[in-house]
Amino acid sequence: MRRIVLTVLLVCISCAASGTTLVAAVAEKDYPPFYYFDDQTSQWRGISVDVCERVAQQLGYKLEYRRYPFSRLLQHVGDGRADIACTLFNTSKRAPGVTFTSIPHAFETVSVFRRAGDEPLDSSDINWLREFQLGGIRAYYYGEALEDDTAFKKLRVNDEEQLIKVLLGGRVDYALGNKPAIELHAERLGVRNQIEFMEPPVFRGPIYIAISRQREDAHKLAADFTRAVQRFRDTDEYVYLLERYGIESLLF
């Protein structure tokens, strides 16, 4: 009888331990300053994973990161194969699969970049982009105005490296991207001097933590993470992280 009780206790302890781990989906390619893998320390870094780690720890969870192509990342969080995504724009297309925290933890900007040496154009008005073939990444969000595929011609590719290659290969005239991420991958490809960014950014928006709706506790978990993010945003450590990653302070 004591063996049976001990076995049951061990099973229950194992179940409890596994329940404290959340699978966090990240894209195949590093996406600074929001998330990237630091080979020197063998740790994940970036404003989004740093915030996620801090608040998850406060709530008693451990994060296990798994890489997916970005379009599949959204699918896997939506169908429950992943529990959480640490950095997503809150859009109506994504809402059916995930529930978002009620407050963001950072802002992200989208910039236009081009082949170096091309004729300079001002990106404060995006209407001129209608005349050109644009490059983007599948399932990325570039702001409501640029989501209109009838007004803007976009060639979608899998990741930042492919995006840079189709731009330099002449398949698109301009491309859209997160400047730090594009710069990182251009450096890795050895072509950083062949692209340049236009100012100002064409979109700026808040990013949130997203929880898979397939979890029975999805709404509770989103509420718990919201409160934890709110508390963390009031700390000096959060201010330090914003400065470390070069991100503007949130106004709400």
Side-chain angles (χ1 to χ4, degrees), residues 4-51:
I4 295 175
V5 172
L6 181 58
T7 300
V8 171
L9 285 173
L10 289 173
V11 171
C12 289
I13 291 171
S14 176
C15 291
S18 64
T20 62
T21 298
L22 299 175
V23 175
V26 291
E28 279 187 322
K29 300 295 183 181
D30 287 343
Y31 197 68
F34 302 100
Y35 57 83
Y36 58 93
F37 190 74
D38 187 335
D39 291 324
Q40 292 184 343
T41 63
S42 296
Q43 291 181 324
W44 287 93
R45 290 284 185 249
I47 185 65
S48 292
V49 295
D50 281 1
V51 171

Side-chain angles (χ1 to χ4, degrees), residues 80-139:
R81 280 179 279 185
D83 299 300
I84 186 172
C86 292
T87 181
L88 281 180
F89 286 124
N90 185 341
T91 72
S92 58
K93 288 183 179 179
R94 295 171 179 176
V98 300
T99 180
F100 291 92
T101 51
S102 298
I103 61 171
H105 59 275
F107 277 109
E108 180 175 351
T109 59
V110 174
S111 298
V112 178
F113 64 103
R114 60 176 192 168
R115 294 178 291 273
D118 284 356
E119 180 184 354
L121 293 170
D122 184 1
S123 59
S124 59
D125 179 4
I126 64 172
N127 286 318
W128 60 267
L129 287 171
R130 297 171 185 264
E131 304 175 23
F132 300 96
Q133 179 73 55
L134 304 180
I137 297 174
R138 290 186 180 91

Side-chain angles (χ1 to χ4, degrees), residues 49-223:
V49 295
D50 281 1
V51 171
C52 258
E53 286 285 352
R54 303 306 194 277
V55 300
Q57 185 177 20
Q58 291 174 18
L59 296 171
Y61 293 99
K62 179 181 178 181
L63 300 182
E64 176 188 325
Y65 297 96
R66 295 183 188 174
R67 285 192 183 269
Y68 305 105
F70 188 76
S71 58
R72 200 179 303 166
L73 177 156
L74 295 173
Q75 177 185 346
H76 287 352
V77 178
D79 66 21
R81 280 179 279 185
D83 299 300
I84 186 172
C86 292
T87 181
L88 281 180
F89 286 124
N90 185 341
T91 72
S92 58
K93 288 183 179 179
R94 295 171 179 176
V98 300
T99 180
F100 291 92
T101 51
S102 298
I103 61 171
H105 59 275
F107 277 109
E108 180 175 351
T109 59
V110 174
S111 298
V112 178
F113 64 103
R114 60 176 192 168
R115 294 178 291 273
D118 284 356
E119 180 184 354
L121 293 170
D122 184 1
S123 59
S124 59
D125 179 4
I126 64 172
N127 286 318
W128 60 267
L129 287 171
R130 297 171 185 264
E131 304 175 23
F132 300 96
Q133 179 73 55
L134 304 180
I137 297 174
R138 290 186 180 91
Y140 274 26
Y141 181 71
Y142 296 115
E144 184 175 354
L146 286 164
E147 288 300 294
D148 185 355
D149 289 331
T150 62
F152 296 94
K153 300 173 289 184
K154 289 194 287 293
L155 172 67
R156 298 271 188 169
V157 297
N158 290 330
D159 55 49
E160 282 78 10
E161 289 187 4
Q162 289 185 19
L163 184 59
I164 294 166
K165 289 176 181 178
V166 297
L167 173 71
L168 295 181
R171 294 181 60 193
V172 300
D173 302 302
Y174 296 89
L176 303 167
N178 161 28
K179 184 177 179 180
I182 296 298
E183 287 181 323
L184 172 70
H185 293 290
E187 288 282 358
R188 290 178 175 177
L189 290 170
V191 296
R192 178 62 187 88
N193 64 336
Q194 296 181 39
I195 64 171
E196 55 190 23
F197 292 84
M198 304 179 66
E199 295 293 342
V202 292
F203 175 70
R204 179 177 182 270
I207 54 172
Y208 300 79
I209 297 170
I211 309 295
S212 173
R213 289 187 183 272
Q214 294 299 313
R215 291 184 59 93
E216 293 182 358
D217 62 347
H219 292 290
K220 179 182 182 303
L221 199 57

